[in-house]
């Protein structure tokens, strides 16, 4: 059972933003932006590569709702999912990072740096 499944079951507390039958959104414990939310399916999928594509439509609707609730839908936000070891994934339970509340930089992924990542 992943730490996020323990959050879903209530075994571990979270700072909840929004929840429905299938999905949960809560604040990241170690925020990388003024607003940093994690959005997960309650059912455990290892990561994006392993997810049933059919649930992504409903997950997209839920992510839109979270962005709107937090007032990020107009000004914008960044949505990231780290996939697998090379993608920097630490918790093996599919999650999207929703980052916003500031103009976010993209310096670590700029063209001049790209040679360092291939
Ligand atoms: P990733 O590296 O994409 O797997 O991201 C895992 C994220 O989970 C990190 O940003 C952590 O700060 C976050 N995290 C780990 N444990 C908790 C927790 N108990 N509550 C909220 N966020 C957590």
């Amino acid at each position: 059972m992943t730490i996020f499944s323990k959050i879903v079951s209530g075994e571990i507390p979270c700072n909840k933003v929004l929840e429905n039958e299938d999905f949960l959104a809560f604040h990241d414990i170690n925020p990388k932006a003024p607003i940093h939310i994690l959005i997960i399916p309650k059912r455990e999928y290892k990561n994006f590569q392993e997810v049933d594509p059919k649930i992504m439509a409903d997950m997209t609707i839920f992510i839109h709702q979270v962005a709107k609730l937090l007032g990020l839908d107009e000004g914008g936000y960044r949505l990231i999912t780290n996939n697998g070891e090379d993608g920097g994934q630490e918790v093996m339970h599919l999650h999207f990072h929703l980052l916003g509340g500031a103009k976010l930089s993209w310096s670590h992924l700029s063209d001049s740096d790209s040679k360092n990542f291939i």
Side-chain angles (χ1 to χ4, degrees):
M1 194 190 241
T2 66
I3 190 168
F4 290 170
S5 287
K6 288 182 180 170
I7 287 175
V8 169
S9 72
E11 198 180 322
I12 292 177
C14 74
N15 188 358
K16 186 166 75 178
V17 173
L18 189 66
E19 179 177 20
N20 68 17
E21 201 182 325
D22 298 316
F23 305 103
L24 174 66
F26 54 96
H27 289 269
D28 194 292
I29 206 166
N30 182 21
K32 304 279 195 296
I35 298 173
H36 185 170
I37 309 299
L38 298 175
I39 302 172
I40 66 169
K42 290 184 175 179
R43 182 170 165 186
E44 209 174 295
Y45 297 97
K46 186 176 168 196
N47 54 35
F48 184 71
Q49 193 63 31
E50 305 273 320
V51 73
D52 177 353
K54 292 195 265 310
I55 79 148
M56 288 309 302
D58 287 341
M59 193 158 187
T60 299
I61 293 168
F62 186 76
I63 292 169
H64 289 175
Q65 288 169 346
V66 174
K68 197 159 192 169
L69 183 67
L70 296 170
L72 299 175
D73 53 323
E74 298 277 331
Y77 55 85
R78 184 169 298 158
L79 189 67
I80 294 175
T81 188
N82 296 327
N83 192 92
E85 200 183 330
D86 283 358
Q89 185 179 5
E90 288 175 0
V91 178
M92 296 300 163
H93 181 140
L94 173 65
H95 53 282
F96 287 87
H97 298 258
L98 179 69
L99 301 147
K103 213 163 187 68
L104 303 173
S105 71
W106 192 240
S107 56
H108 60 300
L109 290 175
S110 68
D111 287 346
S112 59
D113 289 340
S114 63
K115 61 183 175 304
N116 298 323
F117 295 93
I118 53 175

